[in-house]
Amino acid sequence: MFSPRTKLKTATEFDFPYQPYNIQQQLMEALFDVLEHKKIGIFESPTGTGKSLTLTCAALRWLESHENLVRQDLLARITEIENSIQRLNEESNKSVDWISIQYEGAQQRKELCELRKLGELLQKEEERLQEMRERHTLLRKNSKHLKQTHSSSLSTFDEAKSADVLDEDEVLLDDIIQDDEEVQEQESNDFPSVQIYFCSRTHSQLSQVVREIKKTAYGKRIRCVSLASRQQLCINPQVRKLTNVALMNERCTDMTKNSDKINTVSNAKMQKLSGTKGCSFKRVQMLHQLSDAALVDITDIEDLVNEGKSTHLCPYYAARAAAKDAQIIMLPYQMLLHHRTRVQSGINLRGAVVIIDEAHNLLDTISQLYSCEISLQQLTILQQQMTGYKMKFVKRFNTSNLLRINQLIFVVKRLIKLIKPNGDGTNSNRRTLRTYDVTSEGEFFNINLKELVQFCENNRLAQKLQGFAQRQNQEPQPSENKPPVKNSAALDILKKLQQEHAERQSKSQKRQNKTKEEDLKDNVVNDSNKPRIPVSVSTLRPFLSFIDSLTESADDGRVFIDYDANAKSGTLKYLLLNPGNHFETIINEARAIVIAGGTMQPTTELTEQLFNKCPTRVQQYFYDHVVSSDAVLPFVVANGPTGRQLCFNFTQRGNQDMMTELGMILQNICNVVPAGVVCFLPSYEYLDEVYAHFERNKVLASISQKKCIFREPRGTAAVGHTVEQLLVDYSNAIKEKHGALLFSVVGGKLSEGLNFADDLGRGVIVVGMPYPNRHSPELQERMKYLDITLKPGAGNEYYENLCMKAVNQCIGRSVRHIRDYACVYLLDERYSSERIQKKLPHWISRCLQTPSKFGLVQAATAKFFKTKSS
Ligand code: SF4
């Protein structure tokens, strides 16, 4: 990476699409400095302050300035050294000390040679990029013809069949093949330019940022590309049917080996090959057309997929090809934060700028990405599959493969025994272990698990095993003399497992806010209109993830065994406790890192757990909301209308009097707050309890005279009422009727990522403090770990922070732009604590009121809205 000798001065002009507010200007200047001085910046800027746009404008402005400086400095240095060498040559002829002069000259000639090489690379790159633009412009002119040509020449490819069930030879292990194109590090002969990696939580958020960049002056000159997995970008209907992304990856990789053959043969042969299992969309000679379009036109995922479909070119490989030349690359969290995914996606962070937006849950996200779980049923089915596989092909395996297969079966058996130690499974088993306890108790400490995982990956054993299982399912049941590869019990388990897997996936998607408005859009973007067919659940993949996690440092994680003898079900779960280790590579490789979010407080978690080895690089910036302090009126409501102290902790919140008090508060607030009010409760169970109490006591009937009442559905599309429909109805009720009250759950479908701007959220109520279950073994281990590794009390701090981050997310749903206004009510006397108030966003804590009586809350609210309506 070429480093200029001078530093850039802080920019003041950022090509922002409109006159920036003061805090936006300050943020952009600070971010420019962070990038220039290779720092790590933590930025808190409330939602609604145009944070993503300020981040991108500042970063792109810095990048352009840096690129100019690099070019100028490189050329200046070449000229200076050329002059210096000439001077030294002249001096050498005259001087007696010609040896040292010649030595110096040789050094300079070496440096000149390197700089000239860089200069040539830079020039070549500029020429290539210019050619690309011209080529793309020309192609655009003929785009209609191009699409027609693609459509007609490829109609046969659309019908290409790719078998869902593999042939027998395809499920057999080869001798180890190290052919994964994705993990090969490529020798680059390009100029080492700085790239910006901008990542956010969802593709919708990234698409929003792309749309914003397009509207700026950078939209016409910056090369930007969006990366995503095959799940989002693959357009081959046969592969899209495989809902599992790992399966899609493997199927695509196998198919594209054939595509590469297709690309090298004549057209006549091409059609013949298309009837085999190659992917017709990966046509190397033409792929640049789509990658050029992705770069020049600035496309988001949806654009890229549409363009790929109309040109019959693979958007996944086009995006990857384009990333090499992009100045800014948009990608979701997991692609950047997960090391293996990063490597497989060809992401190189050396010298890059990394911007992580919406980073309020960064530590948890990293932990989740590296944590994994496998169930007893998965292990049982895996054991059957592996045994059947071995028996089927035992005569065709070479010795080395047979050894590995035996090792795999052995480890699977030992893990089953670990879950059910007494064999018959009559005793429940709940324990927390270190990784070395698992390998030693399981008696497989002498097996190199890393090599075993590598063996399976190199041989794509997961796919082969799955293909084998599918074949077995389709074949007639084995006769008595054949090995019982699949008996009906196994099939039952498999079916149950698939069902459980679907449920788990649905739960996990819910957890990842997949049902939120933006993600609903994601589904529309990601999905073709065609239904997906279910496939057998892979059992080897979760097993490999689990044994891979056993190779982590023993201090960094814990393994939880949970076996319920009554339900005859059990799990092994690995929980990563130290996300810092996995983030260290990013810190070491990237030039600068920006961590940004609407509510980043408390940032001590980040500084202590991620950046403790580089404290001097870290700089923190906190910005106020763009709204003035009189646009938001937040209260701590410590007492109800009867004067009763409010405490919605686990033991007191079910108390009838407490719920009655809550009912009175809601009725009073709904009387004075106009339009929409959103009320967040700590859990779905409590929402059910409160709702039933309100129904019994006519509280709902009373409120409904003022506002229509809505309630967040529990589960997926519960009572046929999707979140999307709920929000539409809620919004209509506000517009067309007298207003609405929406009951929601902290950490539920509506507490993150949704926008309750203006009338949708004139009042936000948070009932109680949503602490997670302190008795969860995972939480206890994490707290213990923090107490030991950071300082005594760090665990409690973490526990409190989990609660406050969830509260802050709820609060952040309202007041979304400079003209917006709202009241916020924190119902619980525990919010009166100064320590807790320090964990609220500054734009809330700066004007927080703690009235001694509830009547004062109501009066202040009425006055607040009166001034707003006048
Ligand atoms: S090459 Fe592209 S379109 Fe074809 S299977 Fe792979 S990801 Fe899908």
Side-chain angles (χ1 to χ4, degrees):
M1 201 60 67
F2 178 80
S3 292
R5 292 165 296 179
T6 49
K7 291 273 173 221
L8 287 166
K9 283 202 193 110
T10 311
T12 51
E13 178 50 58
F14 293 92
D15 274 341
F16 204 64
Y18 51 84
Q19 182 62 36
Y21 304 123
N22 275 346
I23 63 148
Q24 292 174 326
Q25 181 70 21
Q26 287 162 16
L27 190 153
M28 289 191 283
E29 289 178 13
L31 191 131
F32 189 98
D33 281 346
V34 163
L35 305 195
E36 179 58 19
H37 298 285
K38 304 184 179 177
K39 298 280 182 188
I40 294 167
I42 300 174
F43 290 80
E44 178 179 279
S45 179
T47 313
T49 54
K51 172 173 44 66
S52 304
L53 188 59
T54 47
L55 292 175
T56 44
C57 282
L60 291 172
R61 174 76 174 88
W62 172 83
L63 185 66
E64 288 188 338
S65 307
H66 174 78
E67 286 176 348
N68 284 336
L69 183 65
V70 164
R71 192 180 304 106
Q72 285 165 11
D73 197 46
L74 182 58
L75 296 178
R77 268 161 81 172
I78 290 174
T79 312
E80 279 169 29
I81 295 178
E82 282 171 346
N83 291 340
S84 172
I85 290 173
Q86 196 180 349
R87 201 181 57 248
L88 286 171
N89 283 343
E90 287 164 9
E91 280 175 19
S92 152
N93 293 337
K94 296 176 202 160
S95 171
V96 278
D97 187 15
W98 58 271
I99 293 182
S100 45
I101 291 175
Q102 287 219 344
Y103 176 76
E104 196 183 336
Q107 295 290 90
Q108 293 201 357
R109 269 191 293 279
K110 190 173 166 226
E111 190 181 352
L112 181 64
C113 183
E114 282 163 10
L115 291 174
R116 275 184 179 154
K117 192 176 168 210
L118 277 177
E120 280 164 21
L121 287 177
L122 181 60
Q123 197 181 346
K124 265 191 208 157
E125 182 170 294
E126 286 174 349
E127 286 167 4
R128 190 171 54 79
L129 292 171
Q130 184 54 31
E131 272 170 26
M132 179 193 76
R133 282 187 184 273
E134 288 165 5
R135 194 171 59 212
H136 178 68
T137 313
L138 197 66
L139 199 71
R140 268 275 165 265
K141 278 189 196 157
N142 302 318
S143 62
K144 205 171 163 214
H145 166 73
L146 172 82
K147 285 175 192 175
Q148 279 168 355
T149 313
H150 283 309
S151 307
S152 57
S153 69
L154 288 164
S155 55
T156 48
F157 284 90
D158 285 349
E159 307 304 323
K161 296 276 181 289
S162 56
D164 294 326
V165 179
L166 304 179
D167 297 336
E168 182 165 304
D169 280 346
E170 287 180 281
V171 301
L172 176 64
L173 284 177
D174 307 319
D175 290 339
I176 292 181
I177 36 168
Q178 187 81 39
D179 63 350
D180 195 344
E181 51 163 356
E182 312 209 37
V183 294
Q184 282 172 8
E185 283 246 351
Q186 291 192 355
E187 265 292 304
S188 173
N189 219 7
D190 297 328
F191 183 79
S193 306
V194 175
Q195 292 183 299
I196 300 170
Y197 286 88
F198 187 102
C199 75
S200 193
R201 196 170 57 81
T202 67
H203 288 296
S204 297
Q205 284 164 335
L206 291 169
S207 293
Q208 174 68 25
V209 180
V210 170
R211 281 195 292 276
E212 287 180 356
I213 294 177
K214 272 183 177 175
K215 288 184 207 151
T216 67
Y218 300 104
K220 295 202 172 51
R221 53 182 198 250
I222 278 288
R223 300 182 304 279
C224 168
V225 74
S226 302
L227 286 184
S229 70
R230 287 180 176 91
Q231 210 161 22
Q232 280 79 37
L233 289 177
C234 176
I235 54 169
N236 184 324
Q238 298 296 327
V239 179
R240 285 195 64 78
K241 281 197 269 189
L242 312 169
T243 47
N244 180 306
V245 71
L247 210 58
M248 289 174 83
N249 288 341
E250 286 174 8
R251 198 76 190 108
C252 166
T253 316
D254 276 356
M255 289 172 78
T256 49
K257 275 196 264 167
N258 289 329
S259 298
D260 294 341
K261 282 183 216 155
I262 288 173
N263 282 309
T264 56
V265 296
S266 67
N267 272 348
K269 279 188 181 172
M270 197 160 92
Q271 289 199 3
K272 210 173 163 194
L273 270 168
S274 73
T276 69
K277 294 165 193 154
C279 179
S280 57
F281 299 100
K282 192 190 174 195
R283 290 171 295 141
V284 177
Q285 296 95 326
M286 305 189 77
L287 210 57
H288 68 85
Q289 291 176 1
L290 187 55
S291 54
D292 289 355
L295 282 174
V296 178
D297 295 340
I298 300 195
T299 53
D300 63 12
I301 300 286
E302 194 176 0
D303 299 332
L304 197 59
V305 168
N306 289 338
E307 190 73 13
K309 281 178 181 169
S310 68
T311 55
H312 289 79
L313 291 167
C314 170
Y316 175 78
Y317 280 103
R320 285 187 52 160
K324 182 171 71 70
D325 289 326
Q327 288 163 295
I328 180 163
I329 297 158
M330 320 299 288
L331 69 173
Y333 272 179
Q334 59 274 27
M335 275 187 111
L336 184 105
L337 297 174
H338 193 260
H339 182 257
R340 187 170 297 161
T341 313
R342 207 159 63 228
V343 173
Q344 286 177 345
S345 308
I347 294 168
N348 180 1
L349 296 181
R350 250 172 265 135
V353 166
V354 171
I355 301 177
I356 304 175
D357 197 8
E358 304 294 340
H360 52 275
N361 278 334
L362 183 58
L363 290 171
D364 290 338
T365 306
I366 300 172
S367 287
Q368 277 166 19
L369 284 172
Y370 287 95
S371 298
C372 57
E373 184 176 332
I374 185 160
S375 71
L376 177 61
Q377 282 192 313
Q378 282 172 311
L379 286 168
T380 310
I381 204 87
L382 178 60
Q383 187 191 348
Q384 288 173 336
Q385 286 179 348
M386 287 297 304
T387 312
Y389 185 71
K390 179 186 148 187
M391 290 173 89
K392 175 90 179 172
F393 296 113
V394 68
K395 291 196 182 126
R396 297 174 67 183
F397 289 144
N398 64 27
T399 329
S400 148
N401 287 350
L402 185 59
L403 173 72
R404 295 295 186 201
I405 294 288
N406 281 334
Q407 285 178 333
L408 283 166
I409 295 173
F410 179 75
V411 176
V412 173
K413 278 186 188 165
R414 303 311 298 193
L415 289 180
I416 292 174
K417 188 154 186 271
L418 204 66
I419 299 179
K420 291 195 301 181
N422 62 346
D424 60 0
T426 47
N427 292 342
S428 290
N429 181 21
R430 283 196 179 84
R431 289 190 294 152
T432 304
L433 301 178
R434 299 284 187 120
T435 49
Y436 53 72
D437 294 328
V438 176
T439 51
S440 64
E441 274 192 41
E443 294 170 2
F444 53 87
F445 55 88
N446 51 349
I447 296 179
N448 187 328
L449 297 177
K450 273 255 179 264
E451 281 178 14
L452 209 51
V453 172
Q454 199 60 53
F455 164 80
C456 295
E457 280 175 1
N458 290 343
N459 284 288
R460 299 204 177 92
L461 185 61
Q463 192 191 4
K464 287 176 177 170
L465 192 63
Q466 196 152 3
F468 167 76
Q470 284 173 332
R471 278 175 56 81
Q472 295 300 307
N473 282 344
Q474 294 197 343
E475 279 176 5
Q477 288 298 298
S479 71
E480 280 172 11
N481 345 339
K482 288 192 181 169
V485 174
K486 285 259 164 264
N487 53 31
S488 61
L491 282 171
D492 285 348
I493 295 177
L494 185 61
K495 270 186 202 154
K496 200 172 166 200
L497 198 58
Q498 281 176 329
Q499 209 175 346
E500 280 180 6
H501 175 78
E503 279 165 18
R504 254 202 319 277
Q505 241 187 3
S506 137
K507 273 184 197 160
S508 138
Q509 278 180 347
K510 267 196 300 170
R511 268 204 304 278
Q512 293 162 22
N513 309 308
K514 268 302 194 191
T515 45
K516 285 176 192 161
E517 187 182 52
E518 60 205 60
D519 296 320
L520 287 168
K521 280 185 208 149
D522 262 7
N523 287 339
V524 175
V525 173
N526 302 341
D527 213 341
S528 66
N529 294 326
K530 299 195 177 138
R532 292 175 169 188
I533 56 158
V535 292
S536 294
V537 184
S538 168
T539 45
L540 187 62
R541 283 191 193 86
F543 167 76
L544 293 179
S545 300
F546 182 76
I547 61 168
D548 198 24
S549 66
L550 296 180
T551 63
E552 294 273 350
S553 156
D555 289 337
D556 287 353
R558 298 288 181 273
V559 175
F560 300 89
I561 301 176
D562 186 354
Y563 175 68
D564 182 338
N566 293 326
K568 298 266 178 264
S569 66
T571 52
L572 280 172
K573 188 190 282 183
Y574 174 80
L575 177 73
L576 178 75
L577 296 173
N578 177 14
N581 265 358
H582 288 282
F583 200 74
E584 209 173 312
T585 342
I586 299 180
I587 297 174
N588 293 340
E589 290 185 353
R591 170 197 175 96
I593 299 173
V594 173
I595 312 279
T599 47
M600 294 306 295
Q601 288 280 27
T603 52
T604 43
E605 285 189 345
L606 288 172
T607 50
E608 287 173 350
Q609 292 186 54
L610 289 192
F611 307 127
N612 54 349
K613 290 188 185 153
C614 52
T616 52
R617 278 184 80 187
V618 179
Q619 299 196 330
Q620 301 189 33
Y621 304 88
F622 301 95
Y623 299 96
D624 245 323
H625 208 298
V626 287
V627 296
S628 59
S629 52
D630 65 356
V632 57
L633 185 55
F635 299 98
V636 169
V637 184
N639 302 92
T642 67
R644 185 190 178 90
Q645 194 175 61
L646 299 176
C647 182
F648 293 91
N649 63 18
F650 196 72
T651 44
Q652 295 184 58
R653 67 188 184 207
N655 183 313
Q656 299 291 307
D657 292 343
M658 195 63 78
M659 290 194 280
T660 303
E661 201 77 25
L662 176 59
M664 283 190 275
I665 293 172
L666 292 181
Q667 289 174 69
N668 283 311
I669 288 178
C670 287
N671 277 338
V672 286
V673 176
V677 176
V678 188
C679 175
F680 289 100
L681 291 123
S683 68
Y684 285 106
E685 289 74 23
Y686 191 53
L687 171 55
D688 291 345
E689 205 177 337
V690 162
Y691 209 83
H693 179 86
F694 288 174
E695 259 174 348
R696 275 196 308 277
N697 295 284
K698 313 269 183 290
V699 175
L700 296 181
S702 161
I703 293 175
S704 61
Q705 290 178 7
K706 285 276 174 192
K707 297 200 185 289
C708 294
I709 298 172
F710 296 89
R711 172 184 179 181
E712 179 179 328
R714 190 176 184 167
T716 33
V719 290
H721 208 172
T722 64
V723 172
E724 204 172 39
Q725 187 56 46
L726 173 83
L727 293 171
V728 170
D729 294 347
Y730 172 70
S731 169
N732 287 342
I734 292 167
K735 273 187 226 138
E736 293 159 14
K737 300 187 180 162
H738 36 261
L741 168 66
L742 173 58
F743 285 105
S744 183
V745 168
V746 179
K749 305 173 190 78
L750 310 176
S751 65
E752 270 190 60
L754 284 187
N755 183 348
F756 287 102
D758 301 320
D759 278 354
L760 291 178
R762 289 298 180 209
V764 170
I765 303 167
V766 183
V767 179
M769 298 190 69
Y771 284 103
N773 177 8
R774 199 180 183 120
H775 301 295
S776 130
E778 284 96 336
L779 181 58
Q780 285 188 348
E781 276 305 317
R782 199 178 283 286
M783 287 168 66
K784 249 193 270 171
Y785 173 80
L786 292 172
D787 281 343
I788 294 166
T789 54
L790 295 182
K791 57 180 181 263
N796 262 332
E797 186 77 11
Y798 169 79
Y799 178 62
E800 197 166 86
N801 292 345
L802 280 178
C803 165
M804 290 311 293
K805 279 197 272 188
V807 169
N808 291 344
Q809 279 303 311
C810 295
I811 294 172
R813 297 312 92 218
S814 63
V815 194
R816 308 286 294 189
H817 58 86
I818 195 160
R819 286 177 302 283
D820 205 354
Y821 57 92
C823 281
V824 173
Y825 307 88
L826 304 172
L827 308 190
D828 203 302
E829 56 89 15
R830 290 173 292 172
Y831 285 110
S832 310
S833 141
E834 201 182 323
R835 194 186 71 252
I836 293 294
Q837 288 181 10
K838 275 192 187 150
K839 294 182 177 177
L840 290 167
H842 180 63
W843 61 280
I844 291 290
S845 59
R846 69 183 174 180
C847 45
L848 189 65
Q849 297 195 9
T850 313
S852 53
K853 290 182 186 156
F854 182 76
L856 297 173
V857 174
Q858 201 174 6
T861 303
K863 195 170 158 205
F864 175 80
F865 286 109
K866 200 168 171 203
T867 42
K868 297 298 168 197
S869 62
S870 59

